[in-house]
Amino acid sequence: MNDLLLCAPILVAAGTGILVMALDLLSGRDDPRKGFLGVVTAAGLAIAAVLAVTLWPGAPAFEMSFLKGVLIVDGFVAFFSALVLATGAAAALLAVDHLPEQGIEPGAFQTLLAFSATGALAFVAAADLVTMFLGLEVMSLAVYALAASKRSSGFATEAGLKYFVLGGLASAFLLFGVAFLYGATGSLDLAGIAAGLAGGASSAGADRVLPQVALVLLLVAMGFKVAAVPFHFWTPDVYEGAPTPVTAYMAGAVKAAGFAVLSRLILTVYQAPSWGGLPLSPADALLGLAVLTMVVGNVLGVVQDDVKRILAYSSIAHAGYLLLGVWATDPATRALNDGVPFYLLAYVAATVGAFGVVSLLGARGEEDMRLPRLAGLSKRHPVLAAVLLVCVLSLAGIPPFGGFMGKFNLFKAVLAADPASNVTWVVVAVLNSLVALYYYLRILLYAYFREPEVVSGDDVAAAGHAPAIRSAPAWAAIGVAALASLYLGILPGRMMAASGSAASAAVVRPDLSAALAAPAALAPGKSSPAPAPASPTVSRRAAVRDAGRDAARDATRNDRDAARNDRDAAHSRSAAPGTRPPRPPRPSRFAAPPAGGGSGR
Amino acid sequence: MSGVPLSWWLVLATALFGIGALGVVTRRNALVVLMSLELMLNGVNVAFLAFARARGDSLAHAAVFIVMAVAAAEVAVGLALAIALFRHGGNVDLDRARRMKG
């Protein structure tokens, strides 16, 4: 019963999909009032979001019993689930009047949207890598179909198929990485894998190769999902070809879910202290992806002349800043940087608003939105232009809006993680933001300062005279997005606090359950003779040795690693007398698996 | 594991996965690409089962069943998309889909 209660948000989201499917069947085939399906979807997803933020943050107090080890619910999951569900609700509202305009069947569309949000919830809340894969597939399969839902358009079909092929590739990579992690640790849940890797990290040979290969495979897969640079090439095409409400959902919800899982997966699984000695540490890989992503995203964004493509490259560039945030963990706690959830919130609000405006302008079956079509927008539709202004400036990171607070907090947290060496990367990120200003301001230049060219006949729509779609639900959605961008910029305090508590729960500690369940068994004398206290010291020595050997090549990184390991070693030493809260030696989990309540398998 | 050692199974799994990945990247026919995706997932299944056998537990068997079910669902969506593509151009050539700018 407890489990059912805790699963309520997921069940409500799935139930919304089933309800919408039934309502679609009950209403007539060509019922003109099918717009209410979108409103029902949005209402269901909003209820699920409210349930998620009320039920889940306090969840560790009453834990899952039957689903323990399948789903985790905590503040982190609550934050990202609410974000995903809100984006799904916004996309449903945007679609209400967009779909008839484009000739898309609303029933199937809204059903798939609700199911996709359900999958995203399972993806974010998964404690188990197979559940994670299942959630990913439920989310993605629905989005492939949504992207291709405009069956009259070859362009949309191609977008859907392209997304399908590359998404399928990414899923296979994820799964292959999961198989290797299973091979390395014999466990499929996050905590078990983390504990297994931490225990085996000091050993040599094959035990170190498997997690290394898994790391590469997982990063490739998650890179595809969040559109990080070597794996970004599908993004502009798919964002451009898909119906604009779907684009808003992909850029908002799918990316937010991807980042939630990326940070939880990488930070939880690869938290072993001695990873610094490997050829490719998770930190290096994330940093490389981050820098490449922001530079390439911004540079290619400059040369685009379609608003949807510009926003697609902007979403790639934002993934770069976010990866930088995920990379810069707090060295003392190894927790997720507390600027990341807030940044995602601000980014999603602004992106959904901007794509919402584009979707309202996409009348007459047109899915592309070349810049000249925006000309004179401020005179024809002053309110839409104002929403676009707020959202685009927020994406650019201009002060009174949420994007600025997001960037400021993110970069501040990156600097705080390591003031000496991270300053380079913060400077790179700030320079990138300056480059990005060019294409953001270009959108506003067309919307506010260009007059539409005077043309006649069929080119009227192309020249920017097409009227915007009239749609109360969509106006509500973009209004909320714009107000959220303002709210996050002016009064960020509350959401910053929520972001901080979400970030602090991001990393699943492998030893937490053992420490809570059986503190007596963890007393120093009784624990197993496994070389638990020694391993950090050994790894520290190894790291220092590495630092000496590689000093010329990469001194700063190794210094940082050595410093981290120092801190870790100090931590485990001071834990012994019992002055700190108990942080048991990790391998004890394996020393006596049948006795402890911690390891169920 | 009696007989074939773990590493051989892993080589087989990686080869299947690699052939599949190569097929997805290089082939133009949407149906061949779908088959290549299936090949990749089957490579993953071989890896799962090899590890399960080597470790002597059955945790991965459940994973393999789930992967097979998901692969079937994935094929259903992929074939639907291929049919939609066919209706637009009379073939299932993915190169047409690449006329969109990278």
Side-chain angles (χ1 to χ4, degrees):
Chain A
M1 204 54 218
N2 201 359
D3 283 2
L4 275 186
L5 186 66
L6 277 183
C7 289
I10 301 178
L11 295 177
V12 167
T16 306
I18 295 169
L19 178 70
V20 170
M21 198 173 359
L23 287 176
D24 178 45
L25 285 176
L26 291 178
S27 64
R29 188 168 176 77
D30 292 316
D31 195 336
R33 293 164 299 149
K34 278 210 172 167
F36 80 95
L37 292 177
V39 180
V40 171
T41 311
L45 294 183
I47 292 171
V50 171
L51 283 175
V53 291
T54 50
L55 280 180
W56 284 353
F62 52 119
E63 258 193 6
M64 296 253 178
S65 49
F66 179 63
L67 288 177
K68 189 174 166 59
V70 176
L71 295 175
I72 311 174
V73 290
D74 52 18
F76 179 79
V77 172
F79 187 95
F80 283 99
S81 301
L83 189 55
V84 164
L85 288 167
T87 313
L93 290 178
L94 289 176
V96 167
D97 290 293
H98 187 83
L99 298 182
E101 199 79 29
Q102 305 286 342
I104 301 170
E105 221 275 301
F109 184 98
Q110 303 288 7
T111 307
L112 283 171
L113 194 58
F115 284 146
S116 172
T118 311
L121 289 195
F123 184 45
V124 172
D128 181 283
L129 293 181
V130 175
T131 314
M132 186 179 282
F133 169 73
L134 206 56
L136 172 71
E137 285 296 301
V138 172
M139 173 179 82
S140 304
L141 286 178
V143 177
Y144 306 146
L146 283 174
S149 60
K150 189 179 174 191
R151 283 190 292 178
S152 60
S153 154
F155 202 41
T157 308
E158 286 157 20
L161 200 60
K162 190 162 191 167
Y163 192 33
F164 171 80
V165 169
L166 292 168
L169 200 65
S171 303
F173 271 97
L174 179 80
L175 212 51
F176 209 37
V178 171
F180 276 122
L181 281 181
Y182 169 74
T185 62
S187 176
L188 278 170
D189 60 318
L190 281 171
I193 290 174
L197 288 185
S202 51
S203 65
D207 286 350
R208 310 195 64 171
V209 173
L210 289 179
Q212 185 76 72
V213 175
L215 171 69
V216 174
L217 292 167
L218 293 177
L219 278 176
V220 170
M222 297 316 293
F224 268 112
K225 279 295 152 194
V226 304
V229 150
F231 322 108
H232 70 293
F233 43 83
W234 56 274
T235 318
D237 290 348
V238 176
Y239 281 19
E240 189 187 8
T244 315
V246 180
T247 312
Y249 182 78
M250 285 193 284
V254 175
K255 186 165 292 211
F259 263 105
V261 172
L262 171 75
S263 22
R264 175 157 263 180
L265 187 63
I266 299 294
L267 296 184
T268 295
V269 169
Y270 291 96
Q271 59 186 319
S274 57
W275 280 98
L278 286 176
L280 177 72
S281 80
D284 295 342
L286 279 176
L287 178 62
L289 278 181
V291 173
L292 206 60
T293 304
M294 57 183 138
V295 171
V296 174
N298 281 317
V299 169
L300 290 182
V302 165
V303 298
Q304 304 300 320
D305 54 1
D306 184 291
V307 181
K308 282 173 93 172
R309 290 184 81 84
I310 291 178
L311 290 175
Y313 279 106
S314 132
S315 91
I316 294 172
H318 281 283
Y321 308 133
L322 281 162
L323 281 170
L324 193 68
V326 175
W327 164 73
T329 50
D330 184 346
T333 60
R334 253 175 252 285
L336 178 64
N337 186 327
D338 61 6
V340 170
F342 184 88
Y343 190 97
L344 261 171
L345 181 63
Y347 156 79
V348 168
T351 299
V352 168
F355 276 119
V357 172
V358 174
S359 88
L360 282 179
L361 294 173
R364 258 193 32 166
E366 303 274 338
E367 280 300 347
D368 67 314
M369 178 56 62
R370 322 215 33 105
L371 275 172
R373 281 182 67 191
L374 285 179
L377 185 69
S378 63
K379 299 208 175 54
R380 288 179 289 137
H381 300 292
V383 182
L384 277 186
V387 169
L388 190 67
L389 178 79
V390 169
C391 292
V392 167
L393 287 184
S394 181
L395 283 174
I398 306 289
F401 303 112
F404 169 73
M405 286 315 291
K407 273 211 177 77
F408 180 74
N409 283 311
L410 187 79
F411 294 166
K412 200 178 74 177
V414 170
L415 270 184
D418 188 357
S421 60
N422 288 4
V423 72
T424 322
W425 307 116
V426 172
V427 169
V428 169
V430 170
L431 288 178
N432 264 291
S433 309
L434 289 179
V435 175
L437 263 185
Y438 173 79
Y439 57 80
Y440 289 128
L441 291 183
R442 222 164 135 231
I443 298 177
L444 297 179
L445 176 76
Y446 273 91
Y448 274 87
F449 298 110
R450 289 284 167 89
E451 293 304 319
E453 294 158 30
V454 180
V455 286
S456 60
D458 287 345
D459 289 340
V460 167
H465 293 293
I469 300 171
R470 294 172 171 279
S471 167
W475 278 90
I478 61 170
V480 168
L483 287 179
S485 295
L486 267 173
Y487 169 75
L488 291 175
I490 295 168
L491 298 167
R494 217 178 139 187
M495 280 303 157
M496 274 309 297
S499 164
S501 63
S504 66
V507 180
V508 183
R509 303 289 173 189
D511 44 7
L512 194 64
S513 58
L516 290 176
L522 299 165
K526 287 183 191 169
S527 79
S528 68
S535 69
T537 334
V538 169
S539 65
R540 174 176 154 240
R541 244 182 261 130
V544 171
R545 205 189 318 121
D546 284 351
R549 197 176 54 213
D550 300 340
R553 184 163 53 86
D554 206 355
T556 54
R557 176 175 69 78
N558 281 311
D559 277 348
R560 201 173 64 235
D561 285 339
R564 279 186 191 171
N565 288 320
D566 262 342
R567 223 172 274 127
D568 257 37
H571 195 126
S572 60
R573 252 179 265 122
S574 70
T579 51
R580 284 173 170 263
R583 188 187 166 93
R586 278 165 179 151
S588 68
R589 215 178 124 88
F590 296 96
S599 53
R601 289 172 168 127
Chain B
M1 199 186 316
S2 62
V4 187
L6 173 66
S7 56
W8 290 26
W9 288 109
L10 289 186
V11 168
L12 171 68
T14 311
L16 284 175
F17 188 87
I19 293 168
L22 208 63
V24 171
V25 174
T26 57
R27 300 306 290 264
R28 304 150 113 207
N29 189 312
L31 296 178
V32 178
V33 168
L34 272 177
M35 285 193 277
S36 303
L37 278 176
E38 290 302 298
L39 203 57
M40 292 174 79
L41 291 178
N42 282 327
V44 172
N45 282 344
V46 170
F48 263 126
L49 291 176
F51 282 130
R53 186 107 195 267
R55 293 190 154 270
D57 69 2
S58 59
L59 182 57
H61 295 186
V64 168
F65 279 119
I66 290 176
V67 170
M68 283 159 69
V70 168
E74 205 174 77
V75 164
V77 173
L79 283 178
L81 288 172
I83 289 172
L85 189 70
F86 180 78
R87 288 208 176 130
H88 279 291
N91 61 27
V92 287
D93 198 349
L94 276 179
D95 266 2
R96 234 160 27 82
R98 282 179 198 147
R99 74 164 180 238
M100 298 192 282
K101 298 166 285 183

